[in-house]
Amino acid sequence: MTQETGGFAALDLNPNIVAAVLATGYEEPSAIQQQSIPIILAGHDMIGQAQTGTGKTAAFALPILNKIDVSKREPQALILAPTRELALQVATAFETYAKQMPGVNVVAVYGGAPMGPQLRAIRNGAQIVVATPGRLCDHLRRDEKVLSTVQYLVLDEADEMLKLGFMDDLEVIFDAIPASRQTVLFSATLPSSIRSIAERHLREPKHVKIQSKTQTVTAIEQAHLMVHADQKIPAVLRLLEVEEFDALIAFVRTKQATLDLAAALEAKGYKAAALNGDIAQNQRERVIDSLKDGRLDIVVATDVAARGLDVPRITHVFNVDMPYDPESYVHRIGRTGRAGRDGRALLLVTPRERRMLQVIERVTGQKVAEARLPNAQAVLDARIKKLTNSLAPLVAEAEATHGELFDRLTADLGCSARALASALLRKATNGQALDLATVEREQPLVPSFAPRGERTERGERSDRGDRGDRGGDRERRAPMPLAEGRVRCRTALGARDGIAAKNLLGAILNEGGLARDAIGRIQVRDSFSLIELPEDGLEKLLSKLKDTRVAGKQLKLRRYRED
Ligand code: ADP
Ligand code: MG
């Protein structure tokens, strides 16, 4: 055994496996690999607890590859994973690690694809089956013997499988595999439901626990920003102007929110797509592939749809909606900073979510510093930098190809070179004026919140219940700065009347005859809405809108005075 092949060679693995692992660029086994591989090789049952990104896949895949008998063409190892994406990822990892072991066959089994070919692949000599529990149970119903030769069972991301409701399916699968099997369970967390599974189905398991929280997040720069709930999309758009990202994943809570944000991003010209549980499986896979190879730069996902995604290009994670618990937060931000790279994670926090931020900080043992939305100057600088970067390669060459045309045009137009260049710039920027006043005008107003810790007792209480006009209360305590020359108007129509900001905007644009940029922020609360309008000509505007109806109800817009 040579010294320079280092840790992997010392693990008693088949040299073909070690060679394949080194060929993929791994140098040293990670902590979970170092500890799990000898235990699994020795035939023990095992419970492995480690966070996302610690290398759990190879921790079980390498020893299992070492154990299977390639000459036997029957299922020997079964890996269960919570989602199709994860199952595919694990199957691909097996194939990578088995590159120098001819005769190894891996099959991935999951819902949303025809069952016939999957079952045939299992019967035709796959030694390793990677499956989601639901689909595997479908196969068991067709052929209860299909798992009768399995000797090694791995539950990957066991906590996620339980969260997704696979408990009953797992029981069926346990029963369909010979009791003499070796069972290994990996999980980021060990809630009592997992412990109870382990007690019933594992034999004297060895425990491996990797305290990797700090390790997981150290490579990731974290920050949070305070925003109002209805300002999240403008806030994201603004952040994207200045963040230098390669690929980015934005997390939201609902399927609808994935669609809304993805649409807003696409409208701004970003290569973005939504990823949620409603999107057909093959389409989801295409989205992930596109993110991997750069056809997409932004994916807007729910937690479940993005579970375990491993796309090394991801440099940024935007937590647009709060995660449900600190574990999900760690999971989410683990999508960036993969394999020791740097990553950046931003968290948008609405006033009522501050407490969750504190919980996250406590659990991860780290402060998530507050950042501010970039101001107009920063946005302007970023835009000019982008323009400069796009022109840089051209100035070296374009004169040779277009210099004569330029001379001809200045002559024909009888204008200065500066005038012509300015006209071309206006065209190149689609008329977007790159000056501070313009950027200030088109950017959403940034909310100003009291610094942390200055929350009032009343603020605490209104965090709990969401009762109609209470929102107004909050608004008054944390007033939004109004732009020069604008006033706030109020209508008694709100979300409970089925009103969205775009309905109000549409009505005022159509019937008030205003230009889009004359209208400022629109805040839709449950029982009322606030709209920022120009003070100049307000009386005339309000009388024009006197009979305007929105969603079948009278708008009755009034000037709103906050004190
Ligand atoms: P987990 O399942 O714990 O979330 P993965 O098994 O998906 O982690 O591995 C995370 C990333 O780290 C993958 O990109 C994988 O290729 C890489 N990786 C795993 N083990 C090593 C290692 N020993 N050296 C370098 N990179 C590794
Ligand atoms: Mg994993």
Side-chain angles (χ1 to χ4, degrees):
M1 203 177 300
T2 54
Q3 281 306 310
E4 69 259 30
T5 45
F8 277 109
L11 280 173
D12 241 355
L13 291 164
N14 178 326
N16 288 336
I17 299 175
V18 175
V21 165
L22 296 178
T24 62
Y26 299 1
E27 289 168 346
E28 291 288 324
S30 68
I32 187 93
Q33 292 161 4
Q34 185 80 48
Q35 295 187 38
S36 309
I37 291 173
I39 293 175
I40 301 174
L41 281 177
H44 298 289
D45 282 7
M46 195 195 101
I47 298 174
Q49 191 184 354
Q51 292 296 342
T52 300
T54 48
K56 292 190 285 293
T57 317
F60 60 79
L62 303 184
I64 283 177
L65 281 173
N66 208 85
K67 282 162 164 271
I68 57 163
D69 181 347
V70 181
S71 67
K72 281 198 201 148
R73 310 195 56 81
E74 60 189 22
Q76 296 166 49
L78 170 65
I79 322 312
L80 296 174
T83 63
R84 170 188 168 125
E85 284 77 21
L86 278 178
L88 283 168
Q89 232 168 64
V90 169
T92 308
F94 264 100
E95 279 163 358
T96 307
Y97 304 143
K99 268 217 178 94
Q100 311 199 16
M101 290 176 67
V104 173
N105 283 298
V106 184
V107 58
V109 165
Y110 43 76
M115 290 184 63
Q118 293 181 350
L119 201 52
R120 260 194 309 277
I122 301 176
R123 289 184 182 139
N124 285 349
Q127 297 96 347
I128 297 160
V129 178
V130 187
T132 54
R135 172 52 66 97
L136 189 63
C137 282
D138 296 342
H139 285 300
L140 280 172
R141 264 172 237 125
R142 286 193 182 182
D143 176 2
E144 60 185 19
K145 289 263 171 292
V146 74
L147 300 177
S148 61
T149 54
V150 168
Q151 296 164 266
Y152 313 106
L153 171 64
V154 178
L155 286 83
D156 192 16
E157 307 225 11
D159 50 354
E160 288 311 318
M161 289 200 278
L162 292 195
K163 270 193 204 161
L164 292 175
F166 284 133
M167 185 71 181
D168 294 345
D169 291 336
L170 290 182
E171 296 290 343
V172 170
I173 295 167
F174 279 124
D175 283 346
I177 303 179
S180 59
R181 68 172 186 260
Q182 179 182 3
T183 310
V184 173
L185 180 157
F186 280 98
S187 198
T189 58
L190 285 189
S192 58
S193 50
I194 303 266
R195 285 177 218 275
S196 117
I197 285 192
E199 260 161 39
R200 279 176 292 129
H201 297 290
L202 273 64
R203 278 169 306 154
E204 298 168 33
K206 306 261 184 223
H207 287 256
V208 171
K209 182 171 178 177
I210 306 295
Q211 302 278 27
S212 63
K213 266 170 193 151
T214 42
Q215 181 200 315
T216 313
V217 292
T218 39
I220 303 170
E221 196 184 308
Q222 301 170 69
H224 80 269
L225 297 103
M226 300 302 297
V227 294
H228 279 299
D230 61 355
Q231 288 292 290
K232 283 183 176 179
I233 290 182
V236 168
L237 294 176
R238 188 163 189 168
L239 285 165
L240 287 176
E241 296 227 34
V242 301
E243 290 290 332
E244 286 174 17
F245 65 96
D246 194 0
L248 180 149
I249 182 157
F251 284 98
V252 294
R253 282 196 174 180
T254 64
K255 290 167 184 168
Q256 188 57 45
T258 63
L259 302 175
D260 292 347
L261 180 54
L265 292 168
E266 277 194 298
K268 284 279 176 194
Y270 292 104
K271 293 184 279 176
L275 192 69
N276 65 48
D278 270 0
I279 291 171
Q281 297 280 21
N282 53 351
Q283 173 64 18
R284 272 158 78 172
E285 199 183 320
R286 243 178 282 142
V287 167
I288 293 162
D289 284 344
S290 302
L291 189 66
K292 277 190 181 146
D293 64 26
R295 276 172 295 158
L296 281 177
D297 292 326
I298 304 179
V299 165
V300 185
T302 54
D303 286 290
V304 168
R307 187 67 66 192
L309 269 194
D310 185 17
V311 177
R313 274 187 72 225
I314 295 177
T315 54
H316 283 60
V317 171
F318 276 16
N319 294 283
V320 178
D321 291 335
M322 248 315 160
Y324 291 102
D325 48 49
E327 286 80 13
S328 318
Y329 177 76
V330 174
H331 252 96
R332 284 177 173 190
I333 70 172
R335 301 299 116 234
T336 185
R338 298 299 268 184
R341 287 191 181 81
D342 289 340
R344 186 157 155 82
L346 298 181
L347 173 66
L348 301 189
V349 183
T350 62
R352 50 191 306 155
E353 290 170 338
R354 284 189 214 211
R355 195 164 307 153
M356 188 63 190
L357 173 63
Q358 288 162 1
V359 174
I360 287 174
E361 289 180 330
R362 201 172 56 236
V363 170
T364 60
Q366 289 196 9
K367 275 262 167 259
V368 180
E370 177 162 9
R372 299 254 161 213
L373 275 182
N375 60 19
Q377 184 65 54
V379 172
L380 177 65
D381 289 346
R383 285 188 191 170
I384 293 178
K385 186 171 168 198
K386 247 176 240 157
L387 181 63
T388 311
N389 289 343
S390 70
L391 291 175
L394 296 180
V395 289
E397 300 166 7
E399 197 172 350
T401 55
H402 289 66
E404 273 179 30
L405 178 61
F406 188 86
D407 293 340
R408 159 105 197 249
L409 288 178
T410 40
D412 287 358
L413 293 165
C415 68
S416 69
R418 191 165 188 254
L420 177 57
S422 303
L424 293 172
L425 278 175
R426 183 182 288 181
K427 254 187 131 80
T429 55
N430 290 319
Q432 190 185 42
L434 287 182
D435 62 62
L436 200 57
T438 309
V439 178
E440 251 159 15
R441 219 175 312 124
E442 74 188 30
Q443 291 297 330
L445 284 169
V446 184
S448 64
F449 290 103
R452 286 209 281 179
E454 284 182 25
R455 206 163 20 164
T456 61
E457 179 56 27
R458 264 163 81 225
E460 293 275 357
R461 264 204 310 276
S462 72
D463 269 350
R464 261 178 248 141
D466 185 17
R467 275 179 284 137
D469 268 327
R470 280 289 189 84
D473 255 333
R474 277 202 295 278
E475 213 50 49
R476 227 164 298 155
R477 276 196 313 279
M480 308 282 300
L482 267 170
E484 277 269 312
R486 284 219 181 111
V487 295
R488 215 169 252 130
C489 293
R490 183 185 194 275
T491 163
L493 301 184
R496 69 171 178 206
D497 305 294
I499 297 284
K502 61 170 188 263
N503 308 124
L504 295 171
L505 182 64
I508 297 169
L509 287 179
N510 289 335
E511 307 205 14
L514 285 185
R516 168 65 190 96
D517 61 1
I519 303 176
R521 271 168 42 97
I522 300 181
Q523 293 163 268
V524 177
R525 298 280 180 247
D526 196 37
S527 60
F528 68 100
S529 303
L530 298 176
I531 304 153
E532 294 171 9
L533 294 169
E535 184 160 28
D536 199 27
L538 184 70
E539 289 313 312
K540 227 163 106 200
L541 175 69
L542 292 184
S543 77
K544 263 196 208 163
L545 295 172
K546 195 159 52 67
D547 300 318
T548 299
R549 301 174 81 85
V550 182
K553 295 188 180 150
Q554 279 231 291
L555 182 62
K556 287 200 191 146
L557 205 57
R558 299 272 178 274
R559 180 156 185 182
Y560 176 63
R561 291 173 207 275
E562 8 222 308
D563 33 39

